[in-house]
Amino acid sequence: MSSTMSRVCVIIAARNAARTIPAAIASALREPEVAEVVVVDDASTDNTAEVARAADDGSGRLKVMRLDVNR
């Protein structure tokens, strides 16, 4: 086994996921090999982006971007 750990980026596409996004983010951030979690809010009509930002664990690994038009 190699002494270097693989690093991965987790991308979470979300639309109207305010109810479930905190658990998804927390799960991803718990994994030691995760270097970055990127949430892409696909023009939600709820507060998905705000809820996602609030789920930040302070490690600097969470990025949240919001699309104004559903893609």
Side-chain angles (χ1 to χ4, degrees):
M1 199 158 198
S2 172
S3 64
T4 60
M5 183 185 297
S6 295
R7 305 294 285 169
V8 297
C9 174
V10 174
I11 300 172
I12 303 172
R15 179 165 167 85
N16 297 329
R19 195 171 51 82
T20 57
I21 199 71
I25 293 169
S27 176
L29 290 173
R30 271 195 301 273
E31 299 303 321
E33 66 274 5
V34 172
E36 181 178 40
V37 175
V38 178
V39 175
V40 180
D41 177 1
D42 193 9
S44 293
T45 58
D46 67 3
N47 60 340
T48 295
E50 293 82 12
V51 171
R53 286 185 191 98
D56 192 348
D57 69 354
S59 67
R61 296 179 295 154
L62 178 65
K63 310 284 187 283
V64 179
M65 62 183 290
R66 187 177 189 296
L67 302 176
D68 291 329
V69 177
N70 178 251
R71 300 187 186 206

